[in-house]
């Protein structure tokens, strides 16, 4: 079987980068990397132990009082194949911790990755960023380039954390629409 490489839609990529930078102006290059990494790989890299995931969700729900993001969910990346579901949805009683936990765990099953590798996609993202703001995040480029070559996840930057205090879980769009969206839209 021959797999054809996916063509990267630079216009759609540019629109997604601009939207991310406009909605979250404190974003660094590291945060942009994280958002598109999440779209490419989903949540599979985050699950090692279901009990630990449950415990951390419980801990985070007890301690995330400073979140400035008021959304319940938002798509990430170019295609919106994954959603960030913010813990506000649980704290406000719209969905239960168990609903979010299982949607997250179901989303963490290994994904079918596109024929376009992460390093190639990341290079295209950096090219688009250079068209928007030349040299943006220059100080982080080498480390992020190395991370992309290892398909390595990164955390949000200190600037992003300080500005937004994000608390969310990544959920695959299909699972989100089946398991969470009906409650979130009522």
């Amino acid at each position: 079987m021959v797999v054809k490489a996916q063509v990267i839609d630079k216009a759609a990529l540019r629109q997604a980068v601009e939207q991310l930078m406009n909605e979250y102006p404190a974003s660094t290059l590291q945060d942009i990397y994280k958002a598109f990494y999440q779209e490419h790989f989903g949540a599979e890299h985050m699950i090692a132990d279901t009990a630990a995931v449950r415990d951390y969700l419980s801990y985070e729900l007890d301690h995330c009082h400073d979140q400035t993001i008021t959304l319940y969910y938002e798509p990430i990346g170019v295609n919106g194949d994954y959603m960030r579901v913010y813990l506000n949805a649980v704290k406000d009683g719209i969905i239960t911790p168990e609903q979010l936990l299982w949607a997250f765990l179901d989303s963490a099953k290994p994904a079918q990755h596109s024929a376009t590798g992460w390093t190639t996609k990341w290079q295209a993202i950096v090219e688009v960023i250079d068209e928007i703001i030349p040299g943006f995040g220059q100080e982080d480029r080498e480390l992020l380039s190395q991370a992309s070559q290892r398909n390595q996840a990164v955390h949000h930057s200190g600037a992003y954390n300080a500005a937004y205090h994000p608390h969310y879980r990544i959920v695959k769009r299909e699972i989100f629409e089946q398991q969470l969206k009906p409650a979130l839209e009522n």
Side-chain angles (χ1 to χ4, degrees), residues 22-47:
N22 288 333
E23 290 180 16
Y24 301 102
S27 292
T28 67
L29 189 63
Q30 182 174 324
D31 301 301
I32 294 169
Y33 178 102
K34 182 174 182 70
F36 286 97
Y37 180 93
Q38 288 173 330
E39 176 192 39
H40 192 82
F41 290 103
E44 70 183 85
H45 68 284
M46 302 179 73
I47 308 299

PDB file of all heavy atoms in Angstrom, residues 22-47:
ATOM      1  N   ASN A  22      -4.294  35.793  18.092  1.00  0.00           N
ATOM      2  CA  ASN A  22      -5.246  36.856  18.428  1.00  0.00           C
ATOM      3  C   ASN A  22      -6.017  36.544  19.710  1.00  0.00           C
ATOM      4  O   ASN A  22      -6.244  37.434  20.529  1.00  0.00           O
ATOM      5  CB  ASN A  22      -6.224  37.100  17.281  1.00  0.00           C
ATOM      6  CG  ASN A  22      -5.584  37.796  16.102  1.00  0.00           C
ATOM      7  OD1 ASN A  22      -4.615  38.526  16.257  1.00  0.00           O
ATOM      8  ND2 ASN A  22      -6.104  37.557  14.924  1.00  0.00           N
ATOM      9  N   GLU A  23      -6.432  35.297  19.868  1.00  0.00           N
ATOM     10  CA  GLU A  23      -7.211  34.917  21.046  1.00  0.00           C
ATOM     11  C   GLU A  23      -6.350  34.821  22.294  1.00  0.00           C
ATOM     12  O   GLU A  23      -6.833  35.058  23.401  1.00  0.00           O
ATOM     13  CB  GLU A  23      -7.940  33.600  20.797  1.00  0.00           C
ATOM     14  CG  GLU A  23      -9.068  33.749  19.799  1.00  0.00           C
ATOM     15  CD  GLU A  23      -9.816  32.456  19.535  1.00  0.00           C
ATOM     16  OE1 GLU A  23      -9.679  31.497  20.315  1.00  0.00           O
ATOM     17  OE2 GLU A  23     -10.535  32.413  18.527  1.00  0.00           O
ATOM     18  N   TYR A  24      -5.094  34.460  22.117  1.00  0.00           N
ATOM     19  CA  TYR A  24      -4.176  34.289  23.248  1.00  0.00           C
ATOM     20  C   TYR A  24      -2.873  35.046  22.971  1.00  0.00           C
ATOM     21  O   TYR A  24      -1.842  34.451  22.665  1.00  0.00           O
ATOM     22  CB  TYR A  24      -3.904  32.796  23.494  1.00  0.00           C
ATOM     23  CG  TYR A  24      -5.185  32.040  23.774  1.00  0.00           C
ATOM     24  CD1 TYR A  24      -5.784  31.267  22.791  1.00  0.00           C
ATOM     25  CD2 TYR A  24      -5.809  32.138  25.018  1.00  0.00           C
ATOM     26  CE1 TYR A  24      -6.979  30.602  23.039  1.00  0.00           C
ATOM     27  CE2 TYR A  24      -6.999  31.479  25.272  1.00  0.00           C
ATOM     28  CZ  TYR A  24      -7.572  30.716  24.281  1.00  0.00           C
ATOM     29  OH  TYR A  24      -8.753  30.059  24.533  1.00  0.00           O
ATOM     30  N   PRO A  25      -2.924  36.377  23.075  1.00  0.00           N
ATOM     31  CA  PRO A  25      -1.754  37.188  22.701  1.00  0.00           C
ATOM     32  C   PRO A  25      -0.517  36.942  23.560  1.00  0.00           C
ATOM     33  O   PRO A  25       0.584  37.292  23.142  1.00  0.00           O
ATOM     34  CB  PRO A  25      -2.258  38.629  22.837  1.00  0.00           C
ATOM     35  CG  PRO A  25      -3.496  38.557  23.651  1.00  0.00           C
ATOM     36  CD  PRO A  25      -4.069  37.196  23.465  1.00  0.00           C
ATOM     37  N   ALA A  26      -0.668  36.331  24.722  1.00  0.00           N
ATOM     38  CA  ALA A  26       0.499  36.012  25.548  1.00  0.00           C
ATOM     39  C   ALA A  26       1.196  34.735  25.083  1.00  0.00           C
ATOM     40  O   ALA A  26       2.207  34.332  25.657  1.00  0.00           O
ATOM     41  CB  ALA A  26       0.088  35.878  27.020  1.00  0.00           C
ATOM     42  N   SER A  27       0.668  34.116  24.038  1.00  0.00           N
ATOM     43  CA  SER A  27       1.268  32.879  23.521  1.00  0.00           C
ATOM     44  C   SER A  27       2.692  33.118  23.051  1.00  0.00           C
ATOM     45  O   SER A  27       2.994  34.129  22.424  1.00  0.00           O
ATOM     46  CB  SER A  27       0.460  32.337  22.335  1.00  0.00           C
ATOM     47  OG  SER A  27      -0.797  31.883  22.726  1.00  0.00           O
ATOM     48  N   THR A  28       3.525  32.148  23.343  1.00  0.00           N
ATOM     49  CA  THR A  28       4.886  32.123  22.816  1.00  0.00           C
ATOM     50  C   THR A  28       4.926  31.063  21.712  1.00  0.00           C
ATOM     51  O   THR A  28       3.939  30.352  21.483  1.00  0.00           O
ATOM     52  CB  THR A  28       5.897  31.758  23.913  1.00  0.00           C
ATOM     53  OG1 THR A  28       5.665  30.394  24.307  1.00  0.00           O
ATOM     54  CG2 THR A  28       5.790  32.688  25.118  1.00  0.00           C
ATOM     55  N   LEU A  29       6.059  30.927  21.075  1.00  0.00           N
ATOM     56  CA  LEU A  29       6.219  29.892  20.063  1.00  0.00           C
ATOM     57  C   LEU A  29       5.969  28.513  20.675  1.00  0.00           C
ATOM     58  O   LEU A  29       5.388  27.635  20.040  1.00  0.00           O
ATOM     59  CB  LEU A  29       7.619  29.973  19.436  1.00  0.00           C
ATOM     60  CG  LEU A  29       7.853  29.087  18.225  1.00  0.00           C
ATOM     61  CD1 LEU A  29       6.932  29.481  17.075  1.00  0.00           C
ATOM     62  CD2 LEU A  29       9.318  29.171  17.797  1.00  0.00           C
ATOM     63  N   GLN A  30       6.358  28.338  21.905  1.00  0.00           N
ATOM     64  CA  GLN A  30       6.151  27.077  22.619  1.00  0.00           C
ATOM     65  C   GLN A  30       4.653  26.739  22.724  1.00  0.00           C
ATOM     66  O   GLN A  30       4.259  25.593  22.566  1.00  0.00           O
ATOM     67  CB  GLN A  30       6.774  27.194  24.015  1.00  0.00           C
ATOM     68  CG  GLN A  30       6.678  25.963  24.870  1.00  0.00           C
ATOM     69  CD  GLN A  30       7.453  26.164  26.163  1.00  0.00           C
ATOM     70  OE1 GLN A  30       8.511  26.804  26.187  1.00  0.00           O
ATOM     71  NE2 GLN A  30       6.938  25.607  27.234  1.00  0.00           N
ATOM     72  N   ASP A  31       3.819  27.734  22.966  1.00  0.00           N
ATOM     73  CA  ASP A  31       2.376  27.512  23.086  1.00  0.00           C
ATOM     74  C   ASP A  31       1.750  27.172  21.736  1.00  0.00           C
ATOM     75  O   ASP A  31       0.817  26.367  21.660  1.00  0.00           O
ATOM     76  CB  ASP A  31       1.704  28.739  23.700  1.00  0.00           C
ATOM     77  CG  ASP A  31       2.285  29.042  25.064  1.00  0.00           C
ATOM     78  OD1 ASP A  31       2.220  28.169  25.946  1.00  0.00           O
ATOM     79  OD2 ASP A  31       2.846  30.141  25.229  1.00  0.00           O
ATOM     80  N   ILE A  32       2.268  27.782  20.691  1.00  0.00           N
ATOM     81  CA  ILE A  32       1.790  27.456  19.346  1.00  0.00           C
ATOM     82  C   ILE A  32       2.183  26.025  19.011  1.00  0.00           C
ATOM     83  O   ILE A  32       1.372  25.251  18.496  1.00  0.00           O
ATOM     84  CB  ILE A  32       2.329  28.476  18.324  1.00  0.00           C
ATOM     85  CG1 ILE A  32       1.727  29.860  18.624  1.00  0.00           C
ATOM     86  CG2 ILE A  32       2.030  28.034  16.893  1.00  0.00           C
ATOM     87  CD1 ILE A  32       2.372  31.000  17.869  1.00  0.00           C
ATOM     88  N   TYR A  33       3.417  25.668  19.323  1.00  0.00           N
ATOM     89  CA  TYR A  33       3.870  24.283  19.139  1.00  0.00           C
ATOM     90  C   TYR A  33       2.922  23.334  19.860  1.00  0.00           C
ATOM     91  O   TYR A  33       2.453  22.341  19.298  1.00  0.00           O
ATOM     92  CB  TYR A  33       5.290  24.146  19.682  1.00  0.00           C
ATOM     93  CG  TYR A  33       5.880  22.747  19.616  1.00  0.00           C
ATOM     94  CD1 TYR A  33       6.794  22.425  18.612  1.00  0.00           C
ATOM     95  CD2 TYR A  33       5.570  21.763  20.547  1.00  0.00           C
ATOM     96  CE1 TYR A  33       7.367  21.158  18.548  1.00  0.00           C
ATOM     97  CE2 TYR A  33       6.126  20.510  20.496  1.00  0.00           C
ATOM     98  CZ  TYR A  33       7.024  20.204  19.493  1.00  0.00           C
ATOM     99  OH  TYR A  33       7.589  18.941  19.423  1.00  0.00           O
ATOM    100  N   LYS A  34       2.620  23.635  21.129  1.00  0.00           N
ATOM    101  CA  LYS A  34       1.763  22.763  21.935  1.00  0.00           C
ATOM    102  C   LYS A  34       0.384  22.575  21.301  1.00  0.00           C
ATOM    103  O   LYS A  34      -0.117  21.457  21.217  1.00  0.00           O
ATOM    104  CB  LYS A  34       1.624  23.308  23.357  1.00  0.00           C
ATOM    105  CG  LYS A  34       0.761  22.404  24.257  1.00  0.00           C
ATOM    106  CD  LYS A  34       0.768  22.886  25.677  1.00  0.00           C
ATOM    107  CE  LYS A  34      -0.044  21.989  26.588  1.00  0.00           C
ATOM    108  NZ  LYS A  34       0.544  20.685  26.833  1.00  0.00           N
ATOM    109  N   ALA A  35      -0.223  23.647  20.845  1.00  0.00           N
ATOM    110  CA  ALA A  35      -1.564  23.558  20.256  1.00  0.00           C
ATOM    111  C   ALA A  35      -1.571  22.667  19.011  1.00  0.00           C
ATOM    112  O   ALA A  35      -2.439  21.800  18.863  1.00  0.00           O
ATOM    113  CB  ALA A  35      -2.086  24.950  19.918  1.00  0.00           C
ATOM    114  N   PHE A  36      -0.602  22.857  18.145  1.00  0.00           N
ATOM    115  CA  PHE A  36      -0.582  22.062  16.919  1.00  0.00           C
ATOM    116  C   PHE A  36      -0.093  20.638  17.177  1.00  0.00           C
ATOM    117  O   PHE A  36      -0.511  19.706  16.487  1.00  0.00           O
ATOM    118  CB  PHE A  36       0.234  22.772  15.838  1.00  0.00           C
ATOM    119  CG  PHE A  36      -0.500  23.946  15.266  1.00  0.00           C
ATOM    120  CD1 PHE A  36      -0.246  25.229  15.723  1.00  0.00           C
ATOM    121  CD2 PHE A  36      -1.475  23.779  14.300  1.00  0.00           C
ATOM    122  CE1 PHE A  36      -0.942  26.317  15.224  1.00  0.00           C
ATOM    123  CE2 PHE A  36      -2.184  24.862  13.796  1.00  0.00           C
ATOM    124  CZ  PHE A  36      -1.912  26.126  14.256  1.00  0.00           C
ATOM    125  N   TYR A  37       0.756  20.465  18.159  1.00  0.00           N
ATOM    126  CA  TYR A  37       1.161  19.121  18.577  1.00  0.00           C
ATOM    127  C   TYR A  37      -0.067  18.364  19.070  1.00  0.00           C
ATOM    128  O   TYR A  37      -0.270  17.196  18.740  1.00  0.00           O
ATOM    129  CB  TYR A  37       2.219  19.211  19.680  1.00  0.00           C
ATOM    130  CG  TYR A  37       2.700  17.863  20.159  1.00  0.00           C
ATOM    131  CD1 TYR A  37       3.832  17.285  19.591  1.00  0.00           C
ATOM    132  CD2 TYR A  37       2.041  17.165  21.162  1.00  0.00           C
ATOM    133  CE1 TYR A  37       4.279  16.044  20.019  1.00  0.00           C
ATOM    134  CE2 TYR A  37       2.475  15.929  21.590  1.00  0.00           C
ATOM    135  CZ  TYR A  37       3.598  15.372  21.021  1.00  0.00           C
ATOM    136  OH  TYR A  37       4.037  14.140  21.434  1.00  0.00           O
ATOM    137  N   GLN A  38      -0.892  19.021  19.887  1.00  0.00           N
ATOM    138  CA  GLN A  38      -2.098  18.382  20.401  1.00  0.00           C
ATOM    139  C   GLN A  38      -3.018  17.972  19.255  1.00  0.00           C
ATOM    140  O   GLN A  38      -3.628  16.909  19.298  1.00  0.00           O
ATOM    141  CB  GLN A  38      -2.831  19.317  21.368  1.00  0.00           C
ATOM    142  CG  GLN A  38      -2.118  19.466  22.684  1.00  0.00           C
ATOM    143  CD  GLN A  38      -2.746  20.515  23.581  1.00  0.00           C
ATOM    144  OE1 GLN A  38      -3.329  21.497  23.117  1.00  0.00           O
ATOM    145  NE2 GLN A  38      -2.617  20.318  24.881  1.00  0.00           N
ATOM    146  N   GLU A  39      -3.124  18.821  18.250  1.00  0.00           N
ATOM    147  CA  GLU A  39      -3.955  18.462  17.101  1.00  0.00           C
ATOM    148  C   GLU A  39      -3.368  17.257  16.375  1.00  0.00           C
ATOM    149  O   GLU A  39      -4.100  16.364  15.944  1.00  0.00           O
ATOM    150  CB  GLU A  39      -4.062  19.631  16.125  1.00  0.00           C
ATOM    151  CG  GLU A  39      -4.839  19.249  14.871  1.00  0.00           C
ATOM    152  CD  GLU A  39      -4.729  20.251  13.745  1.00  0.00           C
ATOM    153  OE1 GLU A  39      -3.639  20.818  13.529  1.00  0.00           O
ATOM    154  OE2 GLU A  39      -5.746  20.452  13.069  1.00  0.00           O
ATOM    155  N   HIS A  40      -2.072  17.212  16.226  1.00  0.00           N
ATOM    156  CA  HIS A  40      -1.426  16.149  15.461  1.00  0.00           C
ATOM    157  C   HIS A  40      -1.453  14.810  16.197  1.00  0.00           C
ATOM    158  O   HIS A  40      -1.749  13.782  15.602  1.00  0.00           O
ATOM    159  CB  HIS A  40       0.027  16.557  15.158  1.00  0.00           C
ATOM    160  CG  HIS A  40       0.697  15.687  14.144  1.00  0.00           C
ATOM    161  ND1 HIS A  40       0.531  15.868  12.790  1.00  0.00           N
ATOM    162  CD2 HIS A  40       1.525  14.623  14.284  1.00  0.00           C
ATOM    163  CE1 HIS A  40       1.242  14.959  12.141  1.00  0.00           C
ATOM    164  NE2 HIS A  40       1.855  14.192  13.027  1.00  0.00           N
ATOM    165  N   PHE A  41      -1.163  14.840  17.505  1.00  0.00           N
ATOM    166  CA  PHE A  41      -1.020  13.601  18.269  1.00  0.00           C
ATOM    167  C   PHE A  41      -2.165  13.309  19.226  1.00  0.00           C
ATOM    168  O   PHE A  41      -2.250  12.206  19.762  1.00  0.00           O
ATOM    169  CB  PHE A  41       0.283  13.623  19.077  1.00  0.00           C
ATOM    170  CG  PHE A  41       1.513  13.512  18.227  1.00  0.00           C
ATOM    171  CD1 PHE A  41       2.281  14.618  17.955  1.00  0.00           C
ATOM    172  CD2 PHE A  41       1.897  12.293  17.693  1.00  0.00           C
ATOM    173  CE1 PHE A  41       3.424  14.528  17.172  1.00  0.00           C
ATOM    174  CE2 PHE A  41       3.026  12.185  16.904  1.00  0.00           C
ATOM    175  CZ  PHE A  41       3.797  13.304  16.642  1.00  0.00           C
ATOM    176  N   GLY A  42      -3.012  14.297  19.495  1.00  0.00           N
ATOM    177  CA  GLY A  42      -4.085  14.067  20.461  1.00  0.00           C
ATOM    178  C   GLY A  42      -3.537  13.904  21.863  1.00  0.00           C
ATOM    179  O   GLY A  42      -2.518  14.487  22.218  1.00  0.00           O
ATOM    180  N   ALA A  43      -4.201  13.083  22.639  1.00  0.00           N
ATOM    181  CA  ALA A  43      -3.861  12.937  24.060  1.00  0.00           C
ATOM    182  C   ALA A  43      -3.115  11.650  24.376  1.00  0.00           C
ATOM    183  O   ALA A  43      -2.825  11.373  25.532  1.00  0.00           O
ATOM    184  CB  ALA A  43      -5.143  12.994  24.881  1.00  0.00           C
ATOM    185  N   GLU A  44      -2.787  10.864  23.366  1.00  0.00           N
ATOM    186  CA  GLU A  44      -2.213   9.549  23.633  1.00  0.00           C
ATOM    187  C   GLU A  44      -0.914   9.593  24.440  1.00  0.00           C
ATOM    188  O   GLU A  44      -0.640   8.668  25.200  1.00  0.00           O
ATOM    189  CB  GLU A  44      -2.002   8.771  22.339  1.00  0.00           C
ATOM    190  CG  GLU A  44      -0.902   9.326  21.452  1.00  0.00           C
ATOM    191  CD  GLU A  44      -0.771   8.568  20.152  1.00  0.00           C
ATOM    192  OE1 GLU A  44      -1.499   8.886  19.203  1.00  0.00           O
ATOM    193  OE2 GLU A  44       0.070   7.653  20.091  1.00  0.00           O
ATOM    194  N   HIS A  45      -0.161  10.662  24.340  1.00  0.00           N
ATOM    195  CA  HIS A  45       1.111  10.757  25.062  1.00  0.00           C
ATOM    196  C   HIS A  45       0.909  11.017  26.554  1.00  0.00           C
ATOM    197  O   HIS A  45       1.851  10.938  27.327  1.00  0.00           O
ATOM    198  CB  HIS A  45       1.969  11.873  24.461  1.00  0.00           C
ATOM    199  CG  HIS A  45       1.418  13.239  24.687  1.00  0.00           C
ATOM    200  ND1 HIS A  45       0.351  13.724  23.964  1.00  0.00           N
ATOM    201  CD2 HIS A  45       1.754  14.212  25.565  1.00  0.00           C
ATOM    202  CE1 HIS A  45       0.063  14.944  24.393  1.00  0.00           C
ATOM    203  NE2 HIS A  45       0.898  15.264  25.363  1.00  0.00           N
ATOM    204  N   MET A  46      -0.315  11.312  26.969  1.00  0.00           N
ATOM    205  CA  MET A  46      -0.562  11.728  28.341  1.00  0.00           C
ATOM    206  C   MET A  46      -1.055  10.609  29.249  1.00  0.00           C
ATOM    207  O   MET A  46      -1.228  10.812  30.441  1.00  0.00           O
ATOM    208  CB  MET A  46      -1.582  12.869  28.342  1.00  0.00           C
ATOM    209  CG  MET A  46      -1.113  14.061  27.525  1.00  0.00           C
ATOM    210  SD  MET A  46      -2.307  15.372  27.518  1.00  0.00           S
ATOM    211  CE  MET A  46      -2.087  15.964  29.189  1.00  0.00           C
ATOM    212  N   ILE A  47      -1.328   9.443  28.714  1.00  0.00           N
ATOM    213  CA  ILE A  47      -1.942   8.385  29.493  1.00  0.00           C
ATOM    214  C   ILE A  47      -0.937   7.276  29.759  1.00  0.00           C
ATOM    215  O   ILE A  47      -0.513   6.571  28.852  1.00  0.00           O
ATOM    216  CB  ILE A  47      -3.157   7.785  28.749  1.00  0.00           C
ATOM    217  CG1 ILE A  47      -4.127   8.866  28.308  1.00  0.00           C
ATOM    218  CG2 ILE A  47      -3.839   6.726  29.606  1.00  0.00           C
ATOM    219  CD1 ILE A  47      -4.736   9.675  29.409  1.00  0.00           C
TER     220      ILE A  47
END
